[in-house]
Structure formats: C-alpha cells, structure tokens
Amino acid sequence: MANPSRIAPNRLSSGGLIDRERRLHFSFDGRTYGGYAGDTLASALLGHGVKLLGRSFKYHRPRGVLTAGSEEPNALVELRKEARREPNTRATTVELFDGLEAQSQNRWPSLKFDAGAINSLFSPLFAAGFYYKTFMWPASFWEKVYEPAIRRAAGLGRGSSEADPDSYEKIHAFCDLLVIGGGPAGLGAALSAGRSGARVILCDEDYVLGGRLNSDAREINEQPCSIWAQHTTAELEAMTNVRVLRRTTVFGVYDGATFGAVERVADHLPSPPPHQPRQRLWKIVARRSLLASGAIERHIVFGGNDRPGVMTASAARTYLNRFAVIPGSRAAVFTNSDDAWTTALDLGKAGVQVEAIVDTRTEIDPRLENKAKLGGIAIFRGAQVLDTHGTHELRAISVRSADGQTRKVAVDVLAVSGGWNPNLGLTTHLGGRPDWSDALAAFVPGEVPPRMTVAGAAGGRFTLADALREGMAAGTAAAEAAGFAARPEPLPRVDDDHVGVKPFWHVTASRSKAFVDFQNDVTSEDVALAAREGFKSVELLKRYTTLGMATDQGKTSNVNGHAMIAQLTGRPMPEVGTTVFRPPHTPVAIGAFAGHHRGKHFRPGRLTAGHRWAEQQGASFVETGQWLRAQWFARPGEADWLTTVSREVRETRARVGVCDVSTLGKIDIQGTDAGIFLDRIYANMFSTVPVGKVRYGLMLREDGIAMDDGTSARFADDHFVMSTTTANAGKIMHHLEHARQVLWPEFDVQLVSVTEQWAQYSIAGPCARALLERLLGDACDVSDVALPYLGCAEFIWRGVPTRIFRVSFSGELGYELAVPANFGDAAIRAIMEAGAEFGVIPYGTEALSVMRIEKGHVAGNELNGMTTAADLGLGRMMSKKKDFIGRVLAERPGLVDPGRPALVGIQPVDRAARLRAGAHVLAPGAEATMENDEGYVTSVAFSPMLGHWIGLGFVKRGPARIGERVRAYDPVRGGDTEVELVPPIFFDPEGKRLHG
Amino acid sequence: MADTALSGLSALPHIGMQTQPGGGVTITERYGLGIATMQARQGQDVSLRERIRQHFLLELPGRPAIVRTGSVSFTGIGPHHWLAVSAGGGHLFSSSLRALVTPLASVSDQSGGYVVFRVGGRAIRDTLAKGFPIDLDPRAFKPGDAATTIVSHIGATIWRCDDGADGSACFEIALFRSLSQSFWEWFVSSAAEFGYQWQGTTQQ
C-alpha cells in the first residue's frame, strides 16, 4: 500500500481526507513543496519527510511535530510576510493554502545549523530558577543588560511591527445548546438537539468536523467513521436552527452562561476576501452547554524524548489515517496503555515496518497481543525506552526490556502514549477544580460551570460508544430543558475499543535530557530541583520552572510534571492537585478582541451639529471625551497655534466671537420638587431662583470635595435646565439619577438628558448684543433691561423653538443661544451671517480656555477631585440654610485646614518667561523636596491681553500671600521660574465688560 | 435679516447614495419626526395611562415594547419613562404632547436629539448581531418588542417592526444624533459582506 510519490515520499497514494485533485504549493524556509487541499502545514511537511521544524525555547534543540492538534508545543512557525507576519502559529493547525509561506523561528543562521544550540552545553546555567539566582547583582543591570540578552537568546517568533492590514469583528449569538467540539459526542448532541428544533451552535476548532473520527480507522453503522461524521455534518448544516462554526475555538467561559469563541474566518486563505474579516470574535450566550472537547494524549518523560521523529501515538495515527502520510518507514511504539497499540496496528497495515511495541505494563490484553503478533510486531512487556539517537532526526532508540537488557532498535519514528488527559480546561474557568481519577490515571472535570454538561472523552469516558451515547443524551436533555419535544434517537452501532491504562510517567533510568514541557524546555531535572528546593506546590512549581506556561499552557506537560512532583514528594495525586486554566484556552489575537474598534475608532466619536460647518472653516479639532470640538480656526499665514489662539482672543474681546458649546451636558429637571431637589444637589440655593433666571452652582461629592460646576436655568416653577462640564456630563447624570432614585425617591422629580437635543453657541464680546439684535429681530428682546446678566428666555425664532441664556465664561458680554440640534447647522451659519458686519469670528476651545484663565474661572484642571469649595475660592457658596450632598464631610478638619493650598493667580517675574502647568511651587532657595512643596500650577496660558504668560494654581495660604515671590519648579521639563502670586482674576477684575 | 424659517438637516446629509452590491440590508433615516421623552410625575402613572388611553386609544407599555396608533408610537425606555415618536410631527409634537399630559407627566422635546434609522433586509439580523448584544432571533424578539441597549458601544433603543412584504425583518433604531456618524461607520463595516443600500431619508 505504501507508494511514496516522487514529490512527497511519505504520502500514500490513496486514503485520507485530502483532495488529491487540488494540489497546493507552499514554502518552508524558502524551499517550495507541494501538498493537497485538506492538509495542515505539518502533514504536508511530514509527507515530504521534513521532520525538523523548529528550535526549542532555551536550548535551541532540534524539534519536530509532537501532536496533530492545537496542543502542539514544538512545531511553532512564522507564517506569511511583512505586515501579515504571524509568529508562533502551530504547524499542526495551519490549514494549507496555495502560496503559503512559512519560516522556522528561534534559530540563527539556519534551522539545521543553529548557533544558539551552544546553550545546550551550558545547560546547567539554564536550570529552573537560574535567572533569579544569578542575575541579582548589580540591580541596575537587570533591565539594561541581563534581560535584553536573555530575551535575545531565548524566545519564540517575531511579530510584525507594521499595522495589521486585515480587519476583525465581533458578533453576538444566543442558543439553547452550545456544543463545544465536533467529535462523536458533539456531533451526536447537535444532531439530537437540532432534530428537536432547538437552537444549537456547534463549534469546532478544526476545519473538518469529526474529531478523532477522522483520525481513526473505526466503523459506525458498518461504515468508516469519518463518513458518519460527514453525513452528520451535512444534516446539521442543512438545519436552519443549527449553526455550525468550523475553525472556531471556544476559548473562555464567563459568568452568565457566556462563552467567548474565535472564528478564523480567513486564516486559511492568503488574504481575506473583500469585506470579510480575518477573524471574528463570538460572544455566545447559551441556555445549556455541552463540553465535548475530547482528550489530549500525554507523552512520557524519557531521555531524548524531544528528538524529531518522536510524536504522540494518536498524532502518528492522525497523519496516517486522515492525511495519508506515513510518519516514518520504521516505527516503534512506547506506551503504558491500550490505545497506542491501535497506532502500531494501523501503521503496520499501511506498510510501515513496526519494529517494536515497548509497553511499561507486564499484563496486556491478550486480544491486543494476538493482533500485534499476527502483524509480526515484537512486543516488549514491562520495558522502557531509555534514550533516543540521531542528530536532527530520530535514527534509533535504546530499549531496556524487563530483564534489564538494553538494546538499540533502529527506527525513524517513535509513537509515544502515556495515556489521555480529558481536555477539561473550560470547566475550570469559573473556578472549578478537576478531580483525580486513579482508574483513568487522569484528572477529570470536578465542579463544572452552571448548566454545562461534559460528554465523552472530555469527561474521561474514552470509548466511542460512550461518546455517542452521552452526546446524544445531552442533546436530548438540553432540547427538553428549552421546551422542545426531543425524540430519543437510535444509537449508532460501533465496535469495541481498548482503553486500559496503567500510570507511568518518567523513565528514571534515563541519563540524557528528558523533557517534561517541550515548549519551555523544562526537564525532569528541573522538576527534581524544584522539589529539592521546596517548590512543592504545583503553582510554585509552575512559576519556578515555567512548566505549563506559554502558548500551549502545558496541555501536554502539566500532568506529567505534577505526577513527578507527587512521586518526588511522596504525596498522592489528589493532594498534589493541578494548576487551573484561565481563558483563553488557546491563544487569541488581540485584534479579534478589538474588532472594529481600532485606531481612531477605538470608541465611538460624537460630532456636534456645527461640526461640518467648523470643518469648512478650517477648524482643528480636539478630542474632549468622545466629542470632537473645534480647538482653533487657523487663518492662512498664521505661523502657529498660539498666533491663531491669541488672535481669536483679541478679536473676541475687541468685537465678537462665536464658540460651539453644544458638548456641555444639559439635563432637563422637571417636577414639583425640582427646586428642592437642586438645593440638595448644589452647595448653594436654587429653589429661590426666579423663573427666567440662571444661577451659577457648585456641587460637591458626598465626601465634601468639589465635583462639578455649571449653571441651572429656571424656565418654569417646575422646570430647570442644568448645564454641566463636557467631561462630567455622564457622571453628573448618574449622580442625579442616584439621588432621585435612591436618596430621595419621595421627590416628584423627572430627569432626562437633553444634551443631544440642543445645539448651543456662545456669542461673546462687546458686539454680542448687536449681533443678536440683528439675528433675532423681533423674536426676542435682548436689551439689558429685558435680558439682564443671568437672564434666560424661550421663544420661537424663524419657526424653531429657541432658548437664550445670558451667561459668560469669557468675561465678555455673553449669551448662549440654543436651537434643536437638527437646526444647529443652519443656526451657526445664520449667526455668522448676522455677525459679518460686526466682524464676528469663530473661536475654539483653546481661546475659550485662555479667556477663562484670564478671568480666573475654574475648570477641569482645578475641579480635579482633590479640591474643596474653599480651595477654589468658592467657600461662600456653601449655604448654611439647607442640607446638601457633601455638606457634612466638607467640615472634616483636613478639608477646612486654613493651611490648605488655595486658588491663586501666578505670573512670571520675568515677563518673557514661560509657565507650565504641573510645576510645583517652592519658596526661593528651598530644596526641591516633598516637605518644601507649597502647591502646584494647574492651568497656564499666554494672555494676549496682558502680553505674558499667566497661570492658576493652588498655593498654601495663597490668597493671604498676594505679592509674594515663589518659584514654579518643573523638574520634568527642566523649568525653575521665579513667579509672583497675584489675584486669580487677571483681566477686567471689576467685571465691567460682563455687564456691558 | 430675512425671517425665513430655518431649515433642518438630516443626520447624515453627506452620505450620498452609498451602496455595496449584495442586496443584504437596507437602511434609511426617518426624517421630520416629532420625538419626545415622557415621564410620569410622582404617583400619576395610572392617570397618565388613562389620559393616553382616551386620547390615543392605546395602552402605554409597562415593559420594553412599542405600541402604535396612526402616526404616533410610545416605546418603554425605563420605569414610567417612554419615548414618544410622531411621524412628521417635528418639534411641534412635544408641545402638543405636553399640553395633553400636563400635569400628569414631564415632557422634553428630543426631536433634534435622537435619530431614528429603519433597517431591514434578509441579512439584517446577521448584521445587527455584530453590534447588539441582545437576542434578535424571531423567537426571542417579536414584532413590538423593544430594548434599550448598546450597539457597538453606542447607546441605542431598538424595536422590531412588522416584517416586510418579502418576509424579511425590519427594525428601527433610535440613537443620539451626535453618534450617527459612528453608527453609520459600524453599520457599513458590518453589513458590507452582505451588501447594503442607503436609501436616504423617509418622511414616514
């Protein structure tokens, strides 16, 4: 039967789940090979007899393929090139496509000759705990010398530093039953639940459903078992209530019966088709779930067990039966259990010369022995493999038989099985701990997540008949729980299988390096060292030796390591226990978690109604929370932003300017208790505000610290409109809702955000009233008598409900005009048209900020979560006539200490000097220590009105020290400037302009 | 200055006639709507329901659901809190609603604050699943059901309309106007694989 083709010597001419009509070409380390549709990269390379695929993490030892699945620790390669370069992909799961380019990694200059292999000579230096013990001194060397050097020498592949050219997306799904794993148990469950009409999602990480059914030469209903898998898959895919997700790994279990899964939509293609993501992240909420994730075969710890050509027995069988690839021409099997005998028999049937079955057990099922003898296979009972031989590939093994004799057997493949571990990682994500089963010599699921069932090999039931029976029963139960009448399905007929096992972990007689964890190069010596040094807990063992870390999370190695520490410390396995698994079960690209939310789209952006108008005026925008706000409007010829901003300030103060203030929070507060409600919210009184008036308010947190400031306008006895700062809008809404719903549910108060309803423009400057008279005509009288400072009005203007507020942040004669947002674009254009004759200009947030600093108005920099009303110079706003949130705790001694830093203005003594926010205040000549710290600078601006830099800050007893000279010390940016403490109002301190 | 009425603007005036072949989903903006939030005053829930029942001949939903009569609908968006929508009502709608329910409820005009998109087509559920974290399956989310939730980190209220004549699903999504550009970007990236058609604004 073995008929090696000219191109791929180890490929059989028939059989397997590959499409021989579809030849694919790919390259590995620059050399071109051929494969078939249906191949993995590993199977295609093995078909060509390529066994050396990589170098190990620490010792740079030659490594090949150990497994045929996602648990692979060795065969990690780099895929693709340039921006799509992808390190540490498992060749055993990479679906072959035409033009695939793969590179080996962690080797230099080449895979066959790797200079790093010299590390093996110094292996005592790389034992467990080596870094901790050796690189302790001098401490400064760790970051600069040791760590970079170690990272260069030991490591995995290289990521691309370019931006990922592909897209990712997220999707939500809901079902009655989520089936995790499409092997016999999972297919059976999906079938019985799906036929009942229940909503089923079936996820399998492979691109062909069937699990072991595709790897074993078994029969179901007198047909090859892979055919049953194909027919069942076809039936499931035809059901509208069943969603079959191939290439999809369920990687995490979360609270609320929620599961995370990643679908590799286009990993098997050279690049994603148009409008398709590379990967898709599924968030699945399932009423019931079934874990049918099968089992993972263990290897055995013995000398040279990492040599390319040594693989798990199940992997050898997969390459043979599924991919029609013989893993070698002369084989041996080393095992402690029945299942590996099937591998020997299958290899023999395919024409491979099976030299020996080395079984550590002395008693073997006679039926297995008879079959092996019929195949002419030598049987070594009670025997062990001591060592392997060869350079880059396996050439021979040393077998010690029961009588103590050691002989060398020439083989090029050794199939190893130490038994099977249920693939139970997902059962531990919510805190469940696996239980040890002596009968199975494996951990089995303990407490599982709510409404999860485990079926088949994942639960330690290793026979095919068990898997089918349990899966179908779980499917029926889930359907019935969701209210569907499920008919009992007839069980498929299968033959018996052999699942006997006797624990065996470690060939202690081996003298050469024996690996426990291949991916981290953890050897039997490392485990022994950890035991000697007292790291006996499995969690400490993991951290000390790195056993079970990295991309495979110890799927093939943990139990061996834990069993060895049990033997070394003389404790039973249940007492030793096992480490638990956390999501993700297998690695997931960060891009999949980000989905569409990358770059500027990392969160949604909010645009004001005037945004497009501002764009047309050449505005530069700044992100303020989610909002984009116009920062300034540069004109041709303006050299830098400071020139622009200074011009905007000067022209606004000289004539009139317009600023979009739509982003400030606006909360509609209605109800008969609206006034009393605001009395409790704000530190100052609001129930006394007359209708048609606006009042400035300050609110405190419950702990007495200032939270936010703004104005509230009264439009009716039972109707206020509150404004908040842009940054705090959402927080204040929550705060008010909490007060309404929890603190004072007896109040008749209704709250709703109207931030989005109103486009609002600040119109400020000496010509503001003239502009508004021109703009509004008869719609509203804006004279000082009709609309004095802090007045407000509602009216219809040009067919649209409009509000006006006479408030000012700039210190100029100022108004805010509000229209429904869908008229915001029309309104700003009308404002600019009406203001043309007065020389109106638009100004941005930066000019607004300069003007408020010139006026000493506090903003976010001062309302920084550390300052009290008194610190802000607003202590007199704290009403003594009523209770309000924060009143009691604001009286704490620490908050009323007269020595606290309080708001003060700062200007440089040398008027040409620049100030920087963040500088600390020190006395002249004082050493820069924490003890000498007297305060800090919060806001600075270049004042075009004064012609020099000015600032606001908090200085100990600042208001009492006006005129004093101190230093603004800025070690971060190297500043140390002599400054003068001045009143915080720099411009128009009498406020004449405001009332003009 | 000429005292002509100000003209309003749709939320996505610059989209043009964008189409991605495939015919999977359609999207349109319902324009000119009267939109208002209505909250019952303390202890006035029963009287308010009675007032609405008499005037509109419908029962205010006490859960996330939408009820309709003629051109007006009410959607439950919170306890004692509804989103009232009137086709073609514009900003005048909130005034007339306020006149009707005062002093039983507080009404706030939101005609400029919310944008309502109508979406449909054979692939609409697969598209919406990429943003909405709720179950929109026909068995779980029936015509008249509503939910206030998020779509791709954007707060939104969604309700299911009657299926189209071809049997395909139809939903309406209300969200804050400032976020409509972000919503649009999410929608077209999610719908591109199925094909989409922007059908502009509709007055209905």
Side-chain angles (χ1 to χ4, degrees):
Chain A
M1 192 170 163
N3 178 20
S5 84
R6 188 173 53 85
I7 302 164
N10 290 350
R11 183 78 73 169
L12 302 175
S13 57
S14 64
L17 305 179
I18 51 168
D19 183 354
R20 288 181 175 75
E21 301 299 308
R22 286 177 56 209
R23 276 194 71 85
L24 308 173
H25 293 89
F26 69 100
S27 74
F28 178 64
D29 278 350
R31 208 178 140 186
T32 303
Y33 299 92
Y36 297 109
D39 263 327
T40 62
L41 176 60
S43 70
L45 285 170
L46 287 171
H48 286 275
V50 177
K51 289 183 180 167
L52 175 61
L53 264 68
R55 290 278 177 168
S56 74
F57 184 67
K58 276 201 294 197
Y59 303 123
H60 293 248
R61 285 171 67 102
R63 289 284 167 81
V65 170
L66 181 73
T67 73
S70 62
E71 70 273 27
E72 174 64 30
N74 277 349
L76 305 185
V77 297
E78 270 174 18
L79 289 193
R80 300 180 161 96
K81 283 163 94 172
E82 290 152 9
R84 288 201 168 90
R85 192 172 72 198
E86 190 187 356
N88 307 331
T89 56
R90 290 146 288 170
T92 51
T93 62
V94 173
E95 189 174 348
L96 201 64
F97 58 81
D98 206 40
L100 173 73
E101 291 177 82
Q103 307 274 335
S104 59
Q105 54 191 36
N106 198 29
R107 82 289 185 272
W108 183 86
S110 74
L111 186 55
K112 284 239 162 111
F113 178 81
D114 177 14
I118 197 163
N119 284 4
S120 274
L121 299 179
F122 302 111
S123 60
L125 294 180
F126 290 88
F130 168 65
Y131 303 156
Y132 308 130
K133 294 170 188 164
T134 310
F135 296 115
M136 290 179 64
W137 185 91
S140 62
F141 268 41
W142 176 250
E143 263 182 44
K144 293 195 174 107
V145 181
Y146 296 145
E147 189 180 341
I150 291 165
R151 285 201 185 278
R152 265 198 305 279
L156 298 169
R158 308 158 301 153
S160 169
S161 55
E162 293 173 54
D164 189 335
D166 298 324
S167 68
Y168 300 80
E169 70 180 18
K170 293 186 256 191
I171 194 163
H172 304 86
F174 299 80
C175 59
D176 297 314
L177 175 64
L178 170 66
V179 181
I180 303 162
L187 287 173
L191 195 63
S192 56
R195 282 176 178 168
S196 79
R199 291 164 72 189
V200 177
I201 297 176
L202 169 61
C203 298
D204 193 278
E205 64 178 356
D206 206 332
Y207 48 93
V208 183
L209 269 68
R212 289 300 305 171
L213 298 178
N214 298 324
S215 298
D216 286 345
R218 302 279 302 276
E219 290 192 339
I220 296 179
N221 295 342
E222 292 81 38
Q223 275 189 321
C225 55
S226 62
I227 298 289
W228 182 86
Q230 281 170 28
H231 289 167
T232 305
T233 304
E235 182 179 343
L236 290 171
E237 287 183 329
M239 294 182 190
T240 55
N241 55 316
V242 176
R243 191 194 286 268
V244 177
L245 294 173
R246 298 156 188 254
R247 304 181 179 96
T248 303
T249 304
V250 176
F251 61 77
V253 184
Y254 305 91
D255 288 332
T258 303
F259 298 80
V262 63
E263 179 186 6
R264 290 169 290 277
V265 179
D267 278 8
H268 62 296
L269 303 169
S271 60
H275 312 302
Q276 286 282 349
R278 173 79 181 271
Q279 297 180 353
R280 186 179 282 137
L281 190 84
W282 288 80
K283 186 175 152 191
I284 302 170
V285 179
R287 289 184 174 202
R288 295 284 184 107
S289 61
L290 178 73
L291 185 68
S293 48
I296 293 172
E297 196 166 26
R298 294 192 290 259
H299 63 90
I300 295 174
V301 182
F302 62 96
N305 60 346
D306 65 329
R307 203 172 303 283
V310 180
M311 63 173 69
T312 63
S314 59
R317 209 150 84 225
T318 299
Y319 291 114
L320 177 69
N321 292 325
R322 175 170 170 180
F323 299 106
V325 166
I326 53 167
S329 51
R330 302 179 76 179
V333 167
F334 178 30
T335 187
N336 63 346
S337 48
D338 292 351
D339 186 61
W341 288 64
T342 310
T343 299
L345 298 171
D346 283 4
L347 287 171
K349 276 185 209 149
V352 175
Q353 177 66 38
V354 183
E355 301 288 353
I357 297 177
V358 182
D359 199 315
T360 57
R361 299 172 297 178
T362 48
E363 288 174 30
I364 314 276
D365 187 329
R367 290 171 298 176
L368 286 174
E369 273 196 317
N370 286 339
K371 285 185 192 169
K373 279 177 189 159
L374 284 175
I377 303 172
I379 297 167
F380 295 86
R381 284 198 265 178
Q384 299 174 358
V385 174
L386 283 188
D387 204 354
T388 66
H389 310 280
T391 47
H392 293 135
E393 290 174 15
L394 184 68
R395 296 276 175 245
I397 54 174
S398 295
V399 178
R400 192 175 73 173
S401 48
D403 58 10
Q405 298 281 321
T406 300
R407 77 192 73 190
K408 217 166 176 177
V409 181
V411 293
D412 59 1
V413 62
L414 176 65
V416 180
S417 178
W420 290 82
N421 293 329
N423 189 9
L424 52 70
L426 294 180
T427 67
T428 69
H429 283 187
L430 295 184
R433 289 242 161 215
D435 295 328
W436 177 256
S437 164
D438 271 327
L440 299 171
F443 284 101
V444 293
E447 187 191 349
V448 301
R451 297 184 295 285
M452 177 186 273
T453 310
V454 184
R461 271 80 62 187
F462 291 125
T463 70
L464 179 55
D466 280 345
L468 289 165
R469 182 175 45 74
E470 288 191 352
M472 293 184 118
T476 303
E480 283 172 349
F484 294 89
R487 282 177 313 174
E489 302 287 344
L491 278 177
R493 295 177 300 281
V494 295
D495 50 358
D496 292 338
D497 32 11
H498 303 276
V499 294
V501 61
K502 188 173 180 207
F504 184 84
W505 314 104
H506 177 204
V507 178
T508 50
S510 285
R511 288 289 159 261
S512 57
K513 217 176 269 302
F515 286 86
V516 184
D517 182 328
F518 294 103
Q519 189 157 105
N520 289 298
D521 272 354
V522 178
T523 65
S524 57
E525 271 306 303
D526 293 323
V527 176
L529 182 69
R532 281 202 300 278
E533 297 190 347
F535 297 97
K536 294 171 185 174
S537 138
V538 290
E539 297 290 350
L540 294 178
L541 174 72
K542 175 175 180 175
R543 271 95 194 152
Y544 195 57
T545 64
T546 68
L547 169 75
M549 293 190 179
T551 70
D552 67 338
Q553 289 289 295
K555 290 185 179 66
T556 55
S557 62
N558 277 344
V559 177
N560 284 343
H562 300 162
M564 288 166 67
I565 204 96
Q567 284 178 345
L568 288 164
T569 59
R571 291 174 298 165
M573 276 300 266
E575 191 182 313
V576 169
T578 180
T579 50
V580 292
F581 301 91
R582 289 181 292 265
H585 188 62
T586 51
V588 182
I590 290 291
F593 289 107
H596 294 307
H597 304 284
R598 57 191 276 188
K600 288 277 184 191
H601 296 286
F602 85 99
R603 66 178 171 191
R606 301 174 76 174
L607 305 180
T608 68
H611 185 83
R612 287 198 323 127
W613 171 84
E615 273 181 336
Q616 289 161 2
Q617 307 309 309
S620 299
F621 293 93
V622 60
E623 284 152 9
T624 309
Q626 288 183 304
W627 289 100
L628 278 187
R629 299 189 71 184
Q631 196 169 13
W632 54 72
F633 295 80
R635 283 189 179 161
E638 288 178 339
D640 56 16
W641 67 270
L642 189 55
T643 310
T644 300
V645 169
S646 296
R647 191 238 328 135
E648 289 176 7
V649 170
R650 278 194 308 270
E651 294 193 14
T652 298
R653 294 215 188 277
R655 292 189 291 277
V656 58
V658 184
C659 181
D660 188 346
V661 293
S662 305
T663 60
L664 272 74
K666 304 174 209 73
I667 302 171
D668 226 21
I669 300 165
Q670 299 193 55
T672 50
D673 295 321
I676 308 171
F677 179 75
L678 287 182
D679 283 346
R680 301 242 185 126
I681 293 291
Y682 281 118
N684 51 326
M685 191 75 92
F686 271 80
S687 53
T688 55
V689 175
V691 171
K693 284 288 187 185
V694 182
R695 185 166 288 175
Y696 174 75
L698 176 74
M699 55 180 88
L700 308 186
R701 303 192 311 215
E702 194 72 78
D703 65 3
I705 296 288
M707 180 161 67
D708 199 52
D709 70 340
T711 59
S712 280
R714 192 166 207 171
F715 285 105
D717 281 341
D718 58 355
H719 185 197
F720 288 82
V721 176
M722 175 188 283
S723 77
T724 74
T725 58
T726 300
N728 283 338
K731 191 169 85 179
I732 300 303
M733 188 71 200
H734 293 163
H735 178 66
L736 264 55
E737 280 290 358
H738 174 77
R740 181 182 79 97
Q741 295 181 30
V742 180
L743 303 184
W744 314 303
E746 67 278 12
F747 280 175
D748 176 33
V749 175
Q750 293 80 44
L751 305 170
V752 69
S753 169
V754 290
T755 304
E756 292 276 344
Q757 163 65 13
W758 299 99
Q760 198 150 320
Y761 298 98
S762 165
I763 300 162
C767 298
R769 183 179 295 125
L771 185 156
L772 282 165
E773 282 167 351
R774 180 99 176 75
L775 179 74
L776 302 176
D778 297 335
C780 180
D781 182 354
V782 294
S783 67
D784 195 46
V785 175
L787 190 65
Y789 179 55
L790 295 177
C792 65
E794 272 185 302
F795 52 95
I796 300 291
W797 167 57
R798 294 177 65 178
V800 172
T802 304
R803 290 173 176 174
I804 193 166
F805 309 83
R806 187 165 163 197
V807 292
S808 176
F809 200 42
S810 58
E812 296 299 318
L813 170 65
Y815 302 84
E816 291 186 5
L817 188 75
V819 295
N822 44 335
F823 296 96
D825 181 85
I828 184 62
R829 292 175 199 274
I831 291 168
M832 294 306 288
E833 194 186 327
E837 65 180 281
F838 308 104
V840 67
I841 56 133
Y843 66 92
T845 55
E846 206 63 39
L848 184 69
S849 175
V850 171
M851 288 192 278
R852 72 99 186 162
I853 295 170
E854 286 182 333
K855 290 297 295 178
H857 290 152
V858 296
N861 294 7
E862 289 76 36
L863 291 158
N864 57 14
M866 298 185 288
T867 48
T868 67
D871 297 345
L872 294 162
L874 303 172
R876 282 181 303 171
M877 290 180 74
M878 306 244 296
S879 172
K880 302 231 183 307
K881 297 179 184 162
K882 65 178 180 81
D883 196 10
F884 56 90
I885 292 176
R887 187 182 64 84
V888 173
L889 291 182
E891 299 298 320
R892 286 181 287 164
L895 297 194
V896 296
D897 180 352
R900 284 176 66 86
L903 187 72
V904 68
I906 287 164
Q907 62 186 25
V909 173
D910 170 6
R911 295 286 195 267
R914 179 171 186 173
L915 292 180
R916 291 194 189 272
H920 277 252
V921 174
L922 293 173
E927 201 187 337
T929 62
M930 287 303 291
E931 292 72 38
N932 291 337
D933 187 26
E934 297 199 28
Y936 54 99
V937 181
T938 50
S939 299
V940 300
F942 178 81
S943 166
M945 307 315 291
L946 278 69
H948 60 78
W949 285 85
I950 58 173
L952 299 175
F954 294 93
V955 179
K956 284 180 182 171
R957 299 181 318 283
R961 296 166 62 185
I962 299 300
E964 209 173 291
R965 288 187 175 185
V966 293
R967 288 152 60 209
Y969 176 67
D970 179 9
V972 178
R973 287 156 295 193
D976 193 349
T977 311
E978 189 177 21
V979 296
E980 184 182 351
L981 302 182
V982 294
I985 306 174
F986 293 88
F987 181 71
D988 183 27
E990 302 84 19
K992 285 180 191 156
R993 305 172 72 90
L994 192 64
H995 298 279
Chain B
M1 166 164 276
D3 199 21
T4 52
L6 284 188
S7 43
L9 210 53
S10 63
L12 300 168
H14 53 292
I15 293 298
M17 289 310 291
Q18 276 202 34
T19 293
Q20 175 72 46
V25 299
T26 59
I27 176 168
T28 177
E29 180 193 340
R30 291 186 67 195
Y31 184 69
L33 297 178
I35 306 176
T37 43
M38 179 176 80
Q39 299 177 78
R41 290 266 167 118
Q42 182 87 338
Q44 300 297 333
D45 208 74
V46 172
S47 309
L48 175 64
R49 286 169 181 282
E50 181 58 28
R51 183 76 56 91
I52 296 292
R53 192 181 298 125
Q54 282 176 1
H55 189 83
F56 292 107
L57 304 176
L58 52 73
E59 197 65 39
L60 281 176
R63 66 181 191 93
I66 184 169
V67 294
R68 285 191 192 80
T69 175
S71 62
V72 176
S73 69
F74 291 88
T75 305
I77 57 172
H80 321 295
H81 196 166
W82 295 269
L83 187 71
V85 175
S86 158
H91 54 77
L92 298 176
F93 171 64
S94 65
S95 310
S96 58
L97 182 64
R98 185 178 298 114
L100 176 72
V101 299
T102 299
L104 307 176
S106 297
V107 171
S108 300
D109 186 12
Q110 302 280 11
S111 58
Y114 282 95
V115 175
V116 178
F117 292 103
R118 181 180 292 163
V119 297
R122 63 173 168 76
I124 192 60
R125 284 196 179 87
D126 289 332
T127 301
L128 297 183
K130 297 183 189 180
F132 283 93
I134 60 169
D135 191 357
L136 296 173
D137 185 88
R139 297 183 197 178
F141 198 73
K142 299 186 171 64
D145 281 348
T148 296
T149 175
I150 52 166
V151 48
S152 189
H153 300 258
I154 296 167
T157 298
I158 182 171
W159 53 86
R160 184 173 163 201
C161 308
D162 293 329
D163 289 346
D166 61 349
S168 64
C170 177
F171 300 89
E172 287 182 353
I173 300 162
L175 48 95
F176 283 151
R177 183 185 180 92
S178 73
L179 289 153
S180 43
Q181 179 68 30
S182 281
F183 172 80
W184 170 255
E185 284 161 7
W186 165 79
F187 186 84
V188 295
S189 345
S190 299
E193 65 169 307
F194 311 113
Y196 61 83
Q197 190 185 9
W198 165 246
Q199 297 180 325
T201 58
T202 171
Q203 295 281 339
Q204 290 159 10

